[in-house]
Amino acid sequence: MGRWDFSGGIPFVVFADSSRRRLATSLADGGSGGWPATAAQIAAFAEVLHRVAPRMTVEERDVLLKWLRGEAR
């Protein structure tokens, strides 16, 4: 976490490229630094995913977002 200038608690999510350069963190777009749990945090996480994982398909993103919302079985 120190590599990305974060000293808060965990969980902490970082999106990095193959050179380990930070693209976004769980603090981006109004995130609280932890795992996205509320509807607003999940929506912000979805926007980050759209931006930093352009090759992720809509279907793949939906699977992850449904899991975060507790909708996956």
Short mmCIF file of all heavy atoms in Angstrom, two decimals:
data_model
loop_
_atom_site.label_atom_id
_atom_site.label_comp_id
_atom_site.label_asym_id
_atom_site.label_seq_id
_atom_site.Cartn_x
_atom_site.Cartn_y
_atom_site.Cartn_z
N MET A 1 0.82 -1.18 0.00
CA MET A 1 0.00 0.00 0.00
C MET A 1 0.87 1.25 0.00
O MET A 1 0.47 2.26 -0.57
CB MET A 1 -0.95 -0.01 1.20
CG MET A 1 -2.00 -1.09 1.08
SD MET A 1 -3.23 -1.27 2.41
CE MET A 1 -2.71 -0.30 3.74
N GLY A 2 2.02 1.18 0.62
CA GLY A 2 2.90 2.33 0.64
C GLY A 2 3.38 2.72 -0.74
O GLY A 2 3.61 3.89 -1.02
N ARG A 3 3.52 1.74 -1.62
CA ARG A 3 3.96 2.02 -2.99
C ARG A 3 2.99 2.98 -3.69
O ARG A 3 3.39 3.75 -4.55
CB ARG A 3 4.06 0.71 -3.77
CG ARG A 3 4.41 0.89 -5.22
CD ARG A 3 4.45 -0.47 -5.93
NE ARG A 3 4.75 -0.32 -7.30
CZ ARG A 3 5.97 -0.28 -7.83
NH1 ARG A 3 7.02 -0.41 -7.05
NH2 ARG A 3 6.15 -0.14 -9.11
N TRP A 4 1.72 2.90 -3.32
CA TRP A 4 0.70 3.73 -3.96
C TRP A 4 0.20 4.83 -3.02
O TRP A 4 -0.90 5.34 -3.16
CB TRP A 4 -0.45 2.87 -4.46
CG TRP A 4 -0.01 2.02 -5.62
CD1 TRP A 4 0.26 2.45 -6.88
CD2 TRP A 4 0.26 0.62 -5.61
NE1 TRP A 4 0.68 1.39 -7.65
CE2 TRP A 4 0.68 0.26 -6.90
CE3 TRP A 4 0.18 -0.37 -4.64
CZ2 TRP A 4 1.01 -1.04 -7.25
CZ3 TRP A 4 0.52 -1.67 -4.98
CH2 TRP A 4 0.93 -1.98 -6.28
N ASP A 5 1.01 5.21 -2.03
CA ASP A 5 0.71 6.33 -1.13
C ASP A 5 -0.63 6.17 -0.41
O ASP A 5 -1.43 7.10 -0.34
CB ASP A 5 0.73 7.67 -1.87
CG ASP A 5 2.09 7.95 -2.48
OD1 ASP A 5 3.09 7.62 -1.83
OD2 ASP A 5 2.14 8.49 -3.59
N PHE A 6 -0.87 4.99 0.12
CA PHE A 6 -2.09 4.75 0.88
C PHE A 6 -1.71 4.22 2.25
O PHE A 6 -0.95 3.27 2.38
CB PHE A 6 -2.99 3.73 0.16
CG PHE A 6 -4.28 3.49 0.88
CD1 PHE A 6 -5.29 4.43 0.85
CD2 PHE A 6 -4.48 2.32 1.59
CE1 PHE A 6 -6.49 4.21 1.51
CE2 PHE A 6 -5.67 2.09 2.26
CZ PHE A 6 -6.68 3.04 2.22
N SER A 7 -2.24 4.84 3.29
CA SER A 7 -1.90 4.41 4.65
C SER A 7 -3.14 4.01 5.44
O SER A 7 -3.06 3.82 6.63
CB SER A 7 -1.13 5.52 5.38
OG SER A 7 -1.95 6.67 5.46
N GLY A 8 -4.29 3.91 4.79
CA GLY A 8 -5.52 3.54 5.47
C GLY A 8 -5.59 2.04 5.72
O GLY A 8 -4.61 1.32 5.63
N GLY A 9 -6.78 1.59 6.00
CA GLY A 9 -6.97 0.18 6.30
C GLY A 9 -7.15 -0.67 5.05
O GLY A 9 -7.10 -0.20 3.94
N ILE A 10 -7.32 -1.94 5.31
CA ILE A 10 -7.54 -2.86 4.22
C ILE A 10 -8.96 -3.40 4.32
O ILE A 10 -9.54 -3.38 5.40
CB ILE A 10 -6.51 -4.01 4.22
CG1 ILE A 10 -6.46 -4.69 5.59
CG2 ILE A 10 -5.16 -3.52 3.84
CD1 ILE A 10 -5.55 -5.88 5.64
N PRO A 11 -9.60 -3.84 3.29
CA PRO A 11 -9.00 -4.09 1.98
C PRO A 11 -8.74 -2.81 1.20
O PRO A 11 -9.37 -1.78 1.44
CB PRO A 11 -10.05 -4.93 1.25
CG PRO A 11 -11.33 -4.54 1.88
CD PRO A 11 -11.02 -4.20 3.31
N PHE A 12 -7.79 -2.90 0.32
CA PHE A 12 -7.41 -1.79 -0.54
C PHE A 12 -7.22 -2.35 -1.94
O PHE A 12 -6.49 -3.31 -2.13
CB PHE A 12 -6.10 -1.17 -0.03
CG PHE A 12 -5.53 -0.10 -0.91
CD1 PHE A 12 -6.17 1.12 -1.03
CD2 PHE A 12 -4.37 -0.31 -1.61
CE1 PHE A 12 -5.65 2.12 -1.84
CE2 PHE A 12 -3.83 0.68 -2.41
CZ PHE A 12 -4.48 1.89 -2.53
N VAL A 13 -7.91 -1.79 -2.91
CA VAL A 13 -7.84 -2.29 -4.28
C VAL A 13 -7.03 -1.32 -5.12
O VAL A 13 -7.25 -0.12 -5.06
CB VAL A 13 -9.26 -2.43 -4.88
CG1 VAL A 13 -9.19 -2.90 -6.32
CG2 VAL A 13 -10.11 -3.37 -4.03
N VAL A 14 -6.09 -1.88 -5.87
CA VAL A 14 -5.29 -1.07 -6.79
C VAL A 14 -5.35 -1.73 -8.17
O VAL A 14 -5.26 -2.94 -8.28
CB VAL A 14 -3.84 -0.98 -6.30
CG1 VAL A 14 -2.84 -1.56 -7.22
CG2 VAL A 14 -3.42 0.41 -5.99
N PHE A 15 -5.56 -0.93 -9.18
CA PHE A 15 -5.48 -1.39 -10.56
C PHE A 15 -4.17 -0.86 -11.11
O PHE A 15 -3.93 0.35 -11.06
CB PHE A 15 -6.64 -0.86 -11.39
CG PHE A 15 -7.97 -1.40 -10.96
CD1 PHE A 15 -8.75 -0.70 -10.07
CD2 PHE A 15 -8.42 -2.63 -11.43
CE1 PHE A 15 -9.99 -1.19 -9.67
CE2 PHE A 15 -9.64 -3.14 -11.02
CZ PHE A 15 -10.42 -2.41 -10.14
N ALA A 16 -3.34 -1.76 -11.63
CA ALA A 16 -2.03 -1.37 -12.14
C ALA A 16 -1.82 -1.98 -13.52
O ALA A 16 -2.40 -3.02 -13.84
CB ALA A 16 -0.93 -1.83 -11.19
N ASP A 17 -0.96 -1.34 -14.30
CA ASP A 17 -0.63 -1.90 -15.60
C ASP A 17 0.52 -2.89 -15.44
O ASP A 17 0.97 -3.15 -14.32
CB ASP A 17 -0.34 -0.80 -16.62
CG ASP A 17 0.90 0.02 -16.31
OD1 ASP A 17 1.71 -0.37 -15.43
OD2 ASP A 17 1.06 1.08 -16.94
N SER A 18 0.99 -3.43 -16.54
CA SER A 18 2.04 -4.45 -16.47
C SER A 18 3.36 -3.91 -15.94
O SER A 18 4.23 -4.68 -15.52
CB SER A 18 2.25 -5.09 -17.84
OG SER A 18 2.63 -4.11 -18.79
N SER A 19 3.52 -2.59 -15.92
CA SER A 19 4.73 -1.96 -15.36
C SER A 19 4.54 -1.58 -13.90
O SER A 19 5.38 -0.90 -13.33
CB SER A 19 5.09 -0.71 -16.17
OG SER A 19 5.36 -1.05 -17.50
N ARG A 20 3.43 -2.00 -13.31
CA ARG A 20 3.08 -1.72 -11.92
C ARG A 20 2.80 -0.23 -11.68
O ARG A 20 2.86 0.26 -10.58
CB ARG A 20 4.16 -2.25 -10.96
CG ARG A 20 4.33 -3.75 -11.08
CD ARG A 20 5.40 -4.28 -10.20
NE ARG A 20 4.86 -4.36 -8.85
CZ ARG A 20 5.57 -4.64 -7.78
NH1 ARG A 20 6.85 -4.86 -7.90
NH2 ARG A 20 5.01 -4.68 -6.60
N ARG A 21 2.45 0.45 -12.75
CA ARG A 21 2.06 1.86 -12.65
C ARG A 21 0.58 1.92 -12.27
O ARG A 21 -0.25 1.24 -12.86
CB ARG A 21 2.30 2.58 -13.97
CG ARG A 21 2.08 4.08 -13.90
CD ARG A 21 2.34 4.76 -15.24
NE ARG A 21 1.38 4.26 -16.21
CZ ARG A 21 1.69 3.83 -17.43
NH1 ARG A 21 2.94 3.80 -17.82
NH2 ARG A 21 0.76 3.40 -18.25
N ARG A 22 0.26 2.70 -11.27
CA ARG A 22 -1.11 2.80 -10.78
C ARG A 22 -2.02 3.43 -11.82
O ARG A 22 -1.74 4.49 -12.36
CB ARG A 22 -1.15 3.62 -9.50
CG ARG A 22 -2.57 3.77 -8.94
CD ARG A 22 -2.60 4.60 -7.71
NE ARG A 22 -2.21 5.98 -8.05
CZ ARG A 22 -1.97 6.90 -7.16
NH1 ARG A 22 -2.03 6.64 -5.88
NH2 ARG A 22 -1.64 8.12 -7.53
N LEU A 23 -3.13 2.75 -12.09
CA LEU A 23 -4.15 3.29 -12.98
C LEU A 23 -5.30 3.87 -12.18
O LEU A 23 -5.87 4.89 -12.54
CB LEU A 23 -4.68 2.19 -13.91
CG LEU A 23 -3.64 1.51 -14.80
CD1 LEU A 23 -4.25 0.35 -15.55
CD2 LEU A 23 -3.02 2.52 -15.76
N ALA A 24 -5.66 3.19 -11.09
CA ALA A 24 -6.74 3.65 -10.21
C ALA A 24 -6.66 2.86 -8.92
O ALA A 24 -6.04 1.80 -8.86
CB ALA A 24 -8.11 3.44 -10.86
N THR A 25 -7.28 3.40 -7.89
CA THR A 25 -7.34 2.70 -6.61
C THR A 25 -8.78 2.69 -6.11
O THR A 25 -9.66 3.30 -6.72
CB THR A 25 -6.47 3.38 -5.53
OG1 THR A 25 -7.09 4.62 -5.17
CG2 THR A 25 -5.05 3.60 -5.99
N SER A 26 -9.00 2.02 -5.01
CA SER A 26 -10.34 1.99 -4.42
C SER A 26 -10.73 3.34 -3.84
O SER A 26 -11.85 3.51 -3.40
CB SER A 26 -10.42 0.90 -3.35
OG SER A 26 -9.36 0.98 -2.44
N LEU A 27 -9.82 4.31 -3.86
CA LEU A 27 -10.14 5.66 -3.42
C LEU A 27 -10.67 6.51 -4.57
O LEU A 27 -11.21 7.58 -4.36
CB LEU A 27 -8.90 6.35 -2.84
CG LEU A 27 -8.33 5.73 -1.58
CD1 LEU A 27 -7.02 6.43 -1.20
CD2 LEU A 27 -9.32 5.81 -0.45
N ALA A 28 -10.52 6.02 -5.80
CA ALA A 28 -10.93 6.79 -6.97
C ALA A 28 -12.44 6.93 -7.03
O ALA A 28 -13.18 6.08 -6.55
CB ALA A 28 -10.43 6.09 -8.23
N ASP A 29 -12.88 7.99 -7.61
CA ASP A 29 -14.30 8.22 -7.88
C ASP A 29 -15.17 8.10 -6.64
O ASP A 29 -16.24 7.52 -6.67
CB ASP A 29 -14.80 7.27 -8.97
CG ASP A 29 -14.10 7.50 -10.30
OD1 ASP A 29 -13.69 8.66 -10.55
OD2 ASP A 29 -13.97 6.56 -11.07
N GLY A 30 -14.70 8.61 -5.53
CA GLY A 30 -15.52 8.62 -4.33
C GLY A 30 -15.47 7.35 -3.51
O GLY A 30 -16.23 7.18 -2.57
N GLY A 31 -14.56 6.45 -3.84
CA GLY A 31 -14.44 5.22 -3.06
C GLY A 31 -13.92 5.52 -1.66
O GLY A 31 -13.32 6.55 -1.41
N SER A 32 -14.19 4.60 -0.77
CA SER A 32 -13.80 4.81 0.62
C SER A 32 -12.46 4.18 0.96
O SER A 32 -11.98 4.32 2.07
CB SER A 32 -14.87 4.22 1.54
OG SER A 32 -14.92 2.82 1.37
N GLY A 33 -11.85 3.48 0.03
CA GLY A 33 -10.58 2.82 0.30
C GLY A 33 -10.75 1.35 0.57
O GLY A 33 -9.82 0.59 0.47
N GLY A 34 -11.94 0.94 0.87
CA GLY A 34 -12.20 -0.47 1.12
C GLY A 34 -12.86 -1.14 -0.05
O GLY A 34 -12.87 -0.63 -1.16
N TRP A 35 -13.42 -2.28 0.22
CA TRP A 35 -14.11 -3.03 -0.80
C TRP A 35 -15.46 -2.37 -1.10
O TRP A 35 -16.16 -1.97 -0.17
CB TRP A 35 -14.32 -4.46 -0.30
CG TRP A 35 -14.71 -5.39 -1.38
CD1 TRP A 35 -15.95 -5.94 -1.56
CD2 TRP A 35 -13.90 -5.88 -2.43
NE1 TRP A 35 -15.95 -6.74 -2.66
CE2 TRP A 35 -14.69 -6.72 -3.22
CE3 TRP A 35 -12.57 -5.68 -2.80
CZ2 TRP A 35 -14.22 -7.37 -4.34
CZ3 TRP A 35 -12.10 -6.33 -3.91
CH2 TRP A 35 -12.92 -7.17 -4.67
N PRO A 36 -15.87 -2.26 -2.35
CA PRO A 36 -17.15 -1.62 -2.66
C PRO A 36 -18.32 -2.43 -2.11
O PRO A 36 -18.47 -3.60 -2.43
CB PRO A 36 -17.16 -1.57 -4.19
CG PRO A 36 -16.15 -2.56 -4.64
CD PRO A 36 -15.16 -2.71 -3.53
N ALA A 37 -19.13 -1.80 -1.28
CA ALA A 37 -20.24 -2.51 -0.64
C ALA A 37 -21.58 -1.83 -0.86
O ALA A 37 -22.58 -2.50 -1.09
CB ALA A 37 -19.97 -2.64 0.85
N THR A 38 -21.61 -0.51 -0.80
CA THR A 38 -22.88 0.19 -0.98
C THR A 38 -23.17 0.34 -2.49
O THR A 38 -22.25 0.18 -3.31
CB THR A 38 -22.84 1.60 -0.36
OG1 THR A 38 -21.92 2.41 -1.10
CG2 THR A 38 -22.45 1.55 1.11
N ALA A 39 -24.40 0.67 -2.82
CA ALA A 39 -24.76 0.85 -4.23
C ALA A 39 -23.89 1.93 -4.89
O ALA A 39 -23.44 1.76 -6.02
CB ALA A 39 -26.24 1.19 -4.35
N ALA A 40 -23.65 3.02 -4.18
CA ALA A 40 -22.83 4.11 -4.73
C ALA A 40 -21.38 3.65 -4.95
O ALA A 40 -20.76 3.99 -5.96
CB ALA A 40 -22.87 5.32 -3.81
N GLN A 41 -20.83 2.91 -4.00
CA GLN A 41 -19.46 2.42 -4.14
C GLN A 41 -19.34 1.42 -5.29
O GLN A 41 -18.36 1.45 -6.04
CB GLN A 41 -18.99 1.78 -2.84
CG GLN A 41 -18.79 2.76 -1.71
CD GLN A 41 -18.58 2.06 -0.38
OE1 GLN A 41 -18.99 0.91 -0.18
NE2 GLN A 41 -17.97 2.76 0.56
N ILE A 42 -20.34 0.57 -5.44
CA ILE A 42 -20.31 -0.41 -6.53
C ILE A 42 -20.42 0.30 -7.88
O ILE A 42 -19.74 -0.05 -8.83
CB ILE A 42 -21.41 -1.47 -6.34
CG1 ILE A 42 -21.08 -2.33 -5.11
CG2 ILE A 42 -21.57 -2.34 -7.59
CD1 ILE A 42 -22.20 -3.25 -4.66
N ALA A 43 -21.26 1.33 -7.95
CA ALA A 43 -21.38 2.10 -9.19
C ALA A 43 -20.06 2.79 -9.53
O ALA A 43 -19.64 2.80 -10.69
CB ALA A 43 -22.51 3.12 -9.06
N ALA A 44 -19.40 3.36 -8.53
CA ALA A 44 -18.10 4.00 -8.75
C ALA A 44 -17.06 2.98 -9.19
O ALA A 44 -16.25 3.23 -10.09
CB ALA A 44 -17.64 4.73 -7.49
N PHE A 45 -17.09 1.79 -8.58
CA PHE A 45 -16.17 0.70 -8.94
C PHE A 45 -16.41 0.28 -10.39
O PHE A 45 -15.46 0.04 -11.14
CB PHE A 45 -16.38 -0.47 -7.98
CG PHE A 45 -15.39 -1.59 -8.12
CD1 PHE A 45 -14.11 -1.47 -7.61
CD2 PHE A 45 -15.76 -2.77 -8.74
CE1 PHE A 45 -13.20 -2.52 -7.73
CE2 PHE A 45 -14.86 -3.81 -8.86
CZ PHE A 45 -13.58 -3.68 -8.35
N ALA A 46 -17.68 0.23 -10.81
CA ALA A 46 -18.01 -0.14 -12.19
C ALA A 46 -17.41 0.86 -13.17
O ALA A 46 -16.90 0.48 -14.24
CB ALA A 46 -19.52 -0.23 -12.36
N GLU A 47 -17.46 2.14 -12.83
CA GLU A 47 -16.88 3.17 -13.69
C GLU A 47 -15.37 3.03 -13.79
O GLU A 47 -14.78 3.20 -14.85
CB GLU A 47 -17.26 4.57 -13.19
CG GLU A 47 -18.71 4.91 -13.42
CD GLU A 47 -19.11 4.86 -14.88
OE1 GLU A 47 -18.35 5.37 -15.73
OE2 GLU A 47 -20.19 4.31 -15.16
N VAL A 48 -14.75 2.71 -12.66
CA VAL A 48 -13.30 2.50 -12.66
C VAL A 48 -12.97 1.30 -13.55
O VAL A 48 -12.05 1.35 -14.36
CB VAL A 48 -12.75 2.31 -11.23
CG1 VAL A 48 -11.30 1.85 -11.25
CG2 VAL A 48 -12.89 3.60 -10.44
N LEU A 49 -13.71 0.21 -13.40
CA LEU A 49 -13.48 -0.98 -14.23
C LEU A 49 -13.60 -0.64 -15.70
O LEU A 49 -12.77 -1.07 -16.52
CB LEU A 49 -14.49 -2.08 -13.90
CG LEU A 49 -14.23 -2.93 -12.68
CD1 LEU A 49 -15.37 -3.93 -12.50
CD2 LEU A 49 -12.90 -3.65 -12.78
N HIS A 50 -14.60 0.11 -16.05
CA HIS A 50 -14.81 0.49 -17.45
C HIS A 50 -13.60 1.25 -17.99
O HIS A 50 -13.17 1.04 -19.11
CB HIS A 50 -16.08 1.33 -17.56
CG HIS A 50 -16.40 1.73 -18.96
ND1 HIS A 50 -16.85 0.84 -19.91
CD2 HIS A 50 -16.32 2.94 -19.58
CE1 HIS A 50 -17.03 1.48 -21.05
NE2 HIS A 50 -16.72 2.75 -20.87
N ARG A 51 -13.01 2.08 -17.15
CA ARG A 51 -11.88 2.91 -17.56
C ARG A 51 -10.56 2.14 -17.60
O ARG A 51 -9.76 2.32 -18.51
CB ARG A 51 -11.77 4.11 -16.61
CG ARG A 51 -10.83 5.18 -17.08
CD ARG A 51 -10.90 6.45 -16.24
NE ARG A 51 -10.48 6.22 -14.86
CZ ARG A 51 -11.29 6.30 -13.80
NH1 ARG A 51 -12.56 6.59 -13.96
NH2 ARG A 51 -10.84 6.09 -12.59
N VAL A 52 -10.30 1.30 -16.59
CA VAL A 52 -8.98 0.67 -16.49
C VAL A 52 -8.91 -0.73 -17.07
O VAL A 52 -7.81 -1.28 -17.21
CB VAL A 52 -8.47 0.65 -15.02
CG1 VAL A 52 -8.39 2.05 -14.46
CG2 VAL A 52 -9.30 -0.26 -14.16
N ALA A 53 -10.05 -1.31 -17.40
CA ALA A 53 -10.07 -2.66 -17.98
C ALA A 53 -10.89 -2.65 -19.27
O ALA A 53 -11.94 -3.29 -19.36
CB ALA A 53 -10.63 -3.65 -16.98
N PRO A 54 -10.43 -1.93 -20.29
CA PRO A 54 -11.23 -1.77 -21.49
C PRO A 54 -11.50 -3.06 -22.25
O PRO A 54 -12.46 -3.15 -23.01
CB PRO A 54 -10.41 -0.78 -22.35
CG PRO A 54 -9.02 -0.90 -21.84
CD PRO A 54 -9.14 -1.24 -20.39
N ARG A 55 -10.67 -4.07 -22.04
CA ARG A 55 -10.90 -5.35 -22.73
C ARG A 55 -11.88 -6.25 -21.98
O ARG A 55 -12.29 -7.27 -22.50
CB ARG A 55 -9.58 -6.07 -22.97
CG ARG A 55 -8.71 -5.31 -23.98
CD ARG A 55 -7.48 -6.07 -24.35
NE ARG A 55 -6.64 -6.24 -23.16
CZ ARG A 55 -5.48 -6.83 -23.14
NH1 ARG A 55 -4.99 -7.36 -24.25
NH2 ARG A 55 -4.77 -6.93 -22.05
N MET A 56 -12.24 -5.87 -20.76
CA MET A 56 -13.23 -6.64 -20.01
C MET A 56 -14.58 -6.44 -20.70
O MET A 56 -14.99 -5.31 -20.94
CB MET A 56 -13.30 -6.17 -18.56
CG MET A 56 -14.29 -6.90 -17.71
SD MET A 56 -14.33 -6.28 -16.00
CE MET A 56 -13.35 -7.54 -15.19
N THR A 57 -15.25 -7.55 -20.99
CA THR A 57 -16.54 -7.43 -21.67
C THR A 57 -17.61 -6.98 -20.70
O THR A 57 -17.46 -7.08 -19.48
CB THR A 57 -16.96 -8.78 -22.28
OG1 THR A 57 -17.24 -9.70 -21.22
CG2 THR A 57 -15.90 -9.34 -23.22
N VAL A 58 -18.71 -6.51 -21.26
CA VAL A 58 -19.85 -6.10 -20.44
C VAL A 58 -20.34 -7.29 -19.62
O VAL A 58 -20.66 -7.15 -18.44
CB VAL A 58 -20.98 -5.54 -21.33
CG1 VAL A 58 -22.25 -5.33 -20.54
CG2 VAL A 58 -20.54 -4.26 -22.00
N GLU A 59 -20.36 -8.47 -20.23
CA GLU A 59 -20.81 -9.66 -19.54
C GLU A 59 -19.90 -10.00 -18.36
O GLU A 59 -20.38 -10.36 -17.27
CB GLU A 59 -20.89 -10.85 -20.51
CG GLU A 59 -21.96 -10.71 -21.55
CD GLU A 59 -21.56 -9.82 -22.74
OE1 GLU A 59 -20.35 -9.51 -22.91
OE2 GLU A 59 -22.47 -9.41 -23.48
N GLU A 60 -18.59 -9.89 -18.56
CA GLU A 60 -17.64 -10.17 -17.47
C GLU A 60 -17.81 -9.16 -16.34
O GLU A 60 -17.80 -9.52 -15.16
CB GLU A 60 -16.20 -10.12 -18.01
CG GLU A 60 -15.87 -11.26 -18.94
CD GLU A 60 -14.57 -11.07 -19.68
OE1 GLU A 60 -14.15 -9.90 -19.91
OE2 GLU A 60 -13.96 -12.08 -20.06
N ARG A 61 -17.97 -7.91 -16.70
CA ARG A 61 -18.14 -6.86 -15.69
C ARG A 61 -19.44 -7.09 -14.91
O ARG A 61 -19.48 -6.97 -13.70
CB ARG A 61 -18.13 -5.48 -16.37
CG ARG A 61 -17.88 -4.35 -15.42
CD ARG A 61 -17.54 -3.03 -16.10
NE ARG A 61 -18.10 -2.76 -17.39
CZ ARG A 61 -17.39 -2.77 -18.54
NH1 ARG A 61 -16.11 -3.03 -18.53
NH2 ARG A 61 -17.98 -2.50 -19.69
N ASP A 62 -20.50 -7.48 -15.63
CA ASP A 62 -21.78 -7.74 -14.97
C ASP A 62 -21.70 -8.88 -13.97
O ASP A 62 -22.31 -8.82 -12.90
CB ASP A 62 -22.87 -8.02 -16.00
CG ASP A 62 -23.35 -6.76 -16.70
OD1 ASP A 62 -23.01 -5.65 -16.23
OD2 ASP A 62 -24.06 -6.90 -17.72
N VAL A 63 -20.94 -9.92 -14.29
CA VAL A 63 -20.76 -11.04 -13.36
C VAL A 63 -20.15 -10.53 -12.05
O VAL A 63 -20.62 -10.84 -10.96
CB VAL A 63 -19.89 -12.15 -13.98
CG1 VAL A 63 -19.45 -13.16 -12.92
CG2 VAL A 63 -20.64 -12.85 -15.10
N LEU A 64 -19.10 -9.74 -12.17
CA LEU A 64 -18.42 -9.21 -10.98
C LEU A 64 -19.34 -8.28 -10.20
O LEU A 64 -19.44 -8.37 -8.97
CB LEU A 64 -17.15 -8.47 -11.39
CG LEU A 64 -16.36 -7.79 -10.28
CD1 LEU A 64 -15.99 -8.77 -9.17
CD2 LEU A 64 -15.14 -7.12 -10.83
N LEU A 65 -20.04 -7.39 -10.88
CA LEU A 65 -20.92 -6.44 -10.20
C LEU A 65 -22.08 -7.15 -9.51
O LEU A 65 -22.47 -6.78 -8.40
CB LEU A 65 -21.41 -5.37 -11.17
CG LEU A 65 -20.30 -4.50 -11.77
CD1 LEU A 65 -20.87 -3.56 -12.81
CD2 LEU A 65 -19.55 -3.74 -10.69
N LYS A 66 -22.64 -8.18 -10.15
CA LYS A 66 -23.71 -8.96 -9.51
C LYS A 66 -23.18 -9.63 -8.25
O LYS A 66 -23.87 -9.70 -7.24
CB LYS A 66 -24.26 -10.00 -10.48
CG LYS A 66 -25.17 -9.42 -11.52
CD LYS A 66 -25.69 -10.49 -12.45
CE LYS A 66 -26.57 -9.88 -13.52
NZ LYS A 66 -27.06 -10.90 -14.46
N TRP A 67 -21.96 -10.13 -8.31
CA TRP A 67 -21.37 -10.77 -7.14
C TRP A 67 -21.21 -9.75 -6.01
O TRP A 67 -21.54 -10.03 -4.86
CB TRP A 67 -20.02 -11.39 -7.51
CG TRP A 67 -19.38 -12.09 -6.37
CD1 TRP A 67 -19.66 -13.33 -5.90
CD2 TRP A 67 -18.34 -11.57 -5.54
NE1 TRP A 67 -18.87 -13.62 -4.83
CE2 TRP A 67 -18.04 -12.56 -4.58
CE3 TRP A 67 -17.64 -10.37 -5.50
CZ2 TRP A 67 -17.07 -12.39 -3.61
CZ3 TRP A 67 -16.67 -10.21 -4.54
CH2 TRP A 67 -16.41 -11.20 -3.61
N LEU A 68 -20.74 -8.56 -6.33
CA LEU A 68 -20.58 -7.52 -5.32
C LEU A 68 -21.92 -7.12 -4.69
O LEU A 68 -21.98 -6.82 -3.50
CB LEU A 68 -19.91 -6.28 -5.92
CG LEU A 68 -18.43 -6.40 -6.25
CD1 LEU A 68 -17.96 -5.19 -7.04
CD2 LEU A 68 -17.61 -6.58 -4.99
N ARG A 69 -22.98 -7.12 -5.50
CA ARG A 69 -24.30 -6.77 -4.99
C ARG A 69 -24.99 -7.93 -4.28
O ARG A 69 -26.10 -7.78 -3.76
CB ARG A 69 -25.19 -6.28 -6.15
CG ARG A 69 -24.78 -4.95 -6.71
CD ARG A 69 -25.78 -4.40 -7.71
NE ARG A 69 -25.95 -5.26 -8.87
CZ ARG A 69 -25.41 -5.04 -10.07
NH1 ARG A 69 -24.68 -3.96 -10.27
NH2 ARG A 69 -25.63 -5.85 -11.06
N GLY A 70 -24.34 -9.09 -4.27
CA GLY A 70 -24.92 -10.26 -3.61
C GLY A 70 -25.97 -10.96 -4.45
O GLY A 70 -26.78 -11.74 -3.92
N GLU A 71 -25.95 -10.73 -5.75
CA GLU A 71 -26.95 -11.31 -6.64
C GLU A 71 -26.49 -12.60 -7.29
O GLU A 71 -27.27 -13.31 -7.89
CB GLU A 71 -27.32 -10.31 -7.73
CG GLU A 71 -27.92 -9.03 -7.21
CD GLU A 71 -28.06 -7.96 -8.28
OE1 GLU A 71 -27.74 -8.23 -9.46
OE2 GLU A 71 -28.47 -6.85 -7.94
N ALA A 72 -25.21 -12.90 -7.23
CA ALA A 72 -24.66 -14.10 -7.89
C ALA A 72 -24.98 -15.34 -7.08
O ALA A 72 -25.03 -15.31 -5.85
CB ALA A 72 -23.16 -13.96 -8.06
N ARG A 73 -25.20 -16.39 -7.75
CA ARG A 73 -25.49 -17.69 -7.11
C ARG A 73 -24.40 -18.66 -7.41
O ARG A 73 -23.84 -18.74 -8.39
CB ARG A 73 -26.81 -18.24 -7.59
CG ARG A 73 -27.95 -17.30 -7.30
CD ARG A 73 -28.78 -17.86 -6.23
NE ARG A 73 -29.79 -16.84 -5.90
CZ ARG A 73 -30.16 -16.64 -4.69
NH1 ARG A 73 -29.67 -17.33 -3.72
NH2 ARG A 73 -31.07 -15.75 -4.42
#
